[in-house]
Amino acid sequence: MAYRVLVTDDVDPEGLALLAAETELLVDEVPTLPKDELLRRIGDYDAIVGRSATKISAELLRAAKKLRVVGRAGVGVDNIALDVATELGVAIINAPAGNTVAVAELFFGTVIGLLRQLPAAALSMQNGVWDRSKLMGRELKGKTLGIVGLGRIGSEVAMRAHAFGMTVVAFDPYIADERFTALRVRRAASLDALIAESNILTMHVPLNDETRGMIGKRELGRLPARSIVVNMARGGIVDEAALLAALEADQLRGAVLDVFTAEPLVADSPLRTAPNLLLTPHLGANTVEAQRNVSRDVCLAVRDALLHNDLSKSINVAGGSGEWGDLQPAMLVARRAAAVARAVLADQGMRAVRRLALRIGPDLAHGAGPLLAAAAAGVLEGVIETDRLNLINARSLAEARGLELSVGESNELGHPRAIEIALAGGMQQLAVAGVAPEDSKPRLTRIGQFHVDVNPRQTLLILTNHDVPGVIGRVGTLLGERKVNIAEYHQARLAQGGDALAAISVDGAVSEETRKALLELPDVLTASVAHFGAE
Ligand SMILES: NC(=O)c1ccc[n+]([C@@H]2O[C@H](COP(=O)([O-])OP(=O)(O)OC[C@H]3O[C@@H](n4cnc5c(N)ncnc54)[C@H](O)[C@@H]3O)[C@@H](O)[C@H]2O)c1
Ligand SMILES: O=C(O)CC[C@@H](O)C(=O)O
């Protein structure tokens, strides 16, 4: 099966060649498309790869009936309707690391340019002038650099700032003290405290509700006199009108903006003529090296998502780390154990599951997010009407139906790679457990109190019966007569002569008629069927 990939914007060819090399991928490269044309064409594609110029709106995502993956050749995903993508099960993949150094270098290039008046100097030389006295500059050495956001770019800026002899202070409540220490950066107690001592204040945070307008009139007024403000993160983090007013009032030494609330910046924007404002047209990531890096990173991840269902690079699959391949068998157990628990409870009359509690052994703790998503998908499989139930949207779809989800690590499951799903609703509860060893096939090991040992393949039939002679034979004969091939038959009992449970793995489907016929057999008490979706 071939997948179609639409590439918009200017994505570096090195990454695109990796996509084009795959016979199962058909790549169409187009320039940045007008909104309406993109809307018209998107329905044909399984994936779209682009940069910040292409807006992946809710409307576009809803029109993209085949879309499985959005690849963003860069960091910021503020051009993508992330919630809608998650709801629809569309993977969002970005390239978070490849352009970090490019932004950090542009920071020093522009700040030094501003401090040494390089744009004015270059212009004066072009105009035949030789006036050195007007072009007196300032040094970075000894100045205090205040960094808001000590993530990838903030860290690279901090490291380089030491080489210039600057004092480096940062505000980032989400970063641990150890990271500050490792970077030799002093932690500011608050944003206000950082602002109060920053000769140069630079923003390296994502744009979100917390950071929009973070630096406004009040904050600009609290900077030391003649400070510099830099925004290379996203337009809107520094309030443009307040910045303009502060520059016009000569309250600041200057500012650098690489990003704008509306891009491209309109030709007659007052920012273009503001004093001491150095503007660049969103050039942070515009180096040959950075574009090659992000293009390769995103294209490899899009390829793996489409061809190998590897969603480990997808930012909307919650909280997975480590090897995706290593988690696959455990995700299969989680999904199938949940489907078994749901099927058995449904036959006991409990259809409205209210709680799903996942417990995992310590060796699977790194995969808690994807495993919980897999379990949620197992509960919803065959129950909800959607053509795109997957690891991306399973949790949000389950929660939207009022299902409470929880996950915890446990040493009491008997195996470091064990998985237990407990479903509950009303007074009823059922736990189904399994293991996903590294060196053998995944197995279901417990259904309720019964210990079983069965590989959950296409369909699992779960029977309870009186533990009396002849039941296994009668069940086997009935299934044989109905051409249902048994792959594994595992009988478990709690005590001789009491109740017993059979976990029967069969090839193909088991019809409702066959299930009812099984219930008619002497000594069979219940019969449940869990049909598993595609792996
Ligand atoms: N100009 C460009 O071309 C360009 C290129 C790449 C990235 N960017 C932008 O730069 C920004 C930073 O990118 P990054 O790769 O370093 O991201 P990152 O996720 O590595 O770092 C962001 C940091 O901000 C911190 N943070 C979040 N909210 C905060 C808050 N309210 N107060 C203080 N700190 C907060 C986070 O803890 C994190 O450490 C993003 O907005 C990204 O879109 C711009
Ligand atoms: O060049 C781009 O597409 C934007 C780069 C940058 O802002 C990013 O988010 O990675």
Side-chain angles (χ1 to χ4, degrees):
M1 168 169 182
Y3 297 106
R4 293 190 67 185
V5 183
L6 182 67
V7 179
T8 62
D9 308 339
D10 204 3
V11 178
D12 187 84
E14 200 167 306
L16 299 182
L18 295 168
L19 293 177
E22 300 291 335
T23 47
E24 290 159 83
L25 300 180
L26 303 174
V27 182
D28 289 340
E29 217 181 319
V30 297
T32 304
L33 292 176
K35 182 176 164 245
D36 288 344
E37 191 177 345
L38 184 59
L39 205 53
R40 195 172 52 71
R41 293 179 66 164
I42 195 69
D44 296 335
Y45 290 95
D46 302 278
I48 178 168
V49 177
R51 290 175 58 183
S52 53
T54 294
K55 305 285 171 242
I56 310 293
S57 64
E59 184 187 15
L60 187 80
L61 287 165
R62 292 200 192 284
K65 297 293 180 214
K66 287 170 65 185
L67 199 68
R68 287 176 53 201
V69 185
V70 174
R72 163 78 172 89
V75 185
V77 287
D78 46 306
N79 60 324
I80 300 170
L82 211 53
D83 289 351
V84 177
T86 304
E87 176 201 323
L88 296 174
V90 177
I92 305 297
I93 291 174
N94 67 347
N99 59 26
T100 301
V101 168
V103 183
E105 291 190 3
L106 185 69
F107 169 82
F108 288 99
T110 51
V111 172
I112 292 174
L114 187 71
L115 284 170
R116 303 299 291 268
Q117 303 193 57
L118 297 184
L123 193 65
S124 72
M125 292 296 279
Q126 279 169 9
N127 290 338
V129 180
W130 184 273
D131 188 350
R132 298 167 68 210
S133 60
K134 274 195 188 154
L135 295 171
M136 189 59 73
R138 299 262 170 176
E139 296 176 8
L140 290 176
K141 186 168 181 219
K143 306 291 183 303
T144 297
L145 174 65
I147 302 175
V148 185
L150 198 59
R152 283 176 294 257
I153 297 171
S155 299
E156 293 290 337
V157 168
M159 286 189 253
R160 286 158 179 74
H162 290 303
F164 285 104
M166 303 184 83
T167 300
V168 190
V169 192
F171 172 67
D172 191 331
Y174 305 107
I175 294 284
D177 286 341
E178 290 72 18
R179 178 76 180 147
F180 275 77
T181 309
L183 289 166
R184 292 185 289 131
V185 174
R186 180 155 53 77
R187 185 193 274 284
S190 64
L191 180 61
D192 277 355
L194 182 81
I195 288 171
E197 62 172 320
S198 296
N199 303 117
I200 299 170
L201 181 75
T202 185
M203 311 304 294
H204 299 292
V205 290
L207 176 68
N208 54 36
D209 289 346
E210 213 177 275
T211 61
R212 191 172 285 104
M214 201 174 197
I215 305 300
K217 184 171 180 232
R218 175 184 166 279
E219 289 72 25
L220 292 171
R222 289 178 169 224
L223 281 163
R226 316 291 298 144
S227 294
I228 287 176
V229 173
V230 180
N231 185 11
M232 299 197 159
R234 279 294 178 265
I237 293 172
V238 175
D239 181 318
E240 288 171 357
L243 183 71
L244 189 61
L247 287 166
E248 282 172 349
D250 208 19
Q251 183 188 323
L252 298 174
R253 182 172 306 286
V256 178
L257 291 182
D258 183 49
V259 288
F260 304 89
T261 310
E263 295 184 11
L265 185 67
V266 289
D268 59 352
S269 164
L271 289 173
R272 290 189 188 262
T273 49
N276 302 316
L277 179 56
L278 200 160
L279 302 177
T280 46
H282 204 145
L283 290 186
N286 251 46
T287 65
V288 169
E289 295 87 344
Q291 285 313 309
R292 200 166 45 216
N293 294 342
V294 294
S295 173
R296 278 187 63 90
D297 291 351
V298 80
C299 289
L300 283 174
V302 167
R303 177 198 70 186
D304 291 347
L306 285 175
L307 299 185
H308 311 302
N309 204 22
D310 175 350
L311 298 177
S312 55
K313 301 281 173 9
S314 165
I315 59 172
N316 50 349
V317 172
S321 65
E323 281 298 307
W324 189 254
D326 159 71
L327 276 182
Q328 291 286 348
M331 288 194 282
L332 183 120
V333 171
R335 188 165 181 154
R336 296 195 168 174
V340 167
R342 195 239 315 129
V344 173
L345 283 172
D347 287 325
Q348 292 172 5
M350 202 281 284
R351 289 198 149 68
V353 179
R354 295 303 311 276
R355 282 184 304 284
L356 183 167
L358 167 68
R359 291 202 298 160
I360 47 180
D363 287 6
L364 295 174
H366 63 286
L371 289 169
L372 188 59
V379 175
L380 298 179
E381 214 155 44
V383 173
I384 61 164
E385 190 52 51
T386 173
D387 49 359
R388 273 196 289 209
L389 170 65
N390 59 26
L391 295 180
I392 294 159
N393 58 8
R395 286 173 63 170
S396 58
L397 287 172
E399 281 165 351
R401 294 165 60 85
L403 201 71
E404 282 171 34
L405 305 176
S406 66
V407 54
E409 188 186 328
S410 172
N411 286 315
E412 292 163 9
L413 297 170
H415 194 287
R417 294 176 64 87
I419 298 120
E420 182 201 69
I421 311 284
L423 298 188
M427 301 298 286
Q428 281 154 295
Q429 165 157 341
L430 182 69
V432 175
V435 287
E438 274 170 323
D439 52 0
S440 59
K441 284 201 178 308
R443 322 276 302 164
L444 291 185
T445 53
R446 186 161 45 82
I447 299 176
Q449 291 178 290
F450 294 93
H451 288 275
V452 297
D453 183 14
V454 65
N455 179 11
R457 293 167 71 251
Q458 294 176 18
T459 301
L460 194 72
L461 191 55
I462 308 104
L463 302 183
T464 55
N465 56 277
H466 297 305
D467 182 27
V468 291
V471 179
I472 298 179
R474 285 194 287 274
V475 169
T477 305
L478 187 145
L479 292 177
E481 282 166 4
R482 287 163 186 260
K483 307 276 181 279
V484 178
N485 191 42
I486 297 175
E488 284 185 76
Y489 195 128
H490 192 99
Q491 180 83 13
R493 65 184 185 187
L494 298 178
Q496 191 178 358
D499 283 349
L501 178 141
I504 311 165
S505 182
V506 303
D507 299 328
V510 173
S511 66
E512 181 58 12
E513 199 197 344
T514 301
R515 189 183 78 84
K516 286 196 174 130
L518 285 165
L519 281 171
E520 300 292 314
L521 292 178
D523 295 307
V524 171
L525 302 171
T526 64
S528 306
V529 180
H531 286 126
F532 305 124
E535 283 182 24

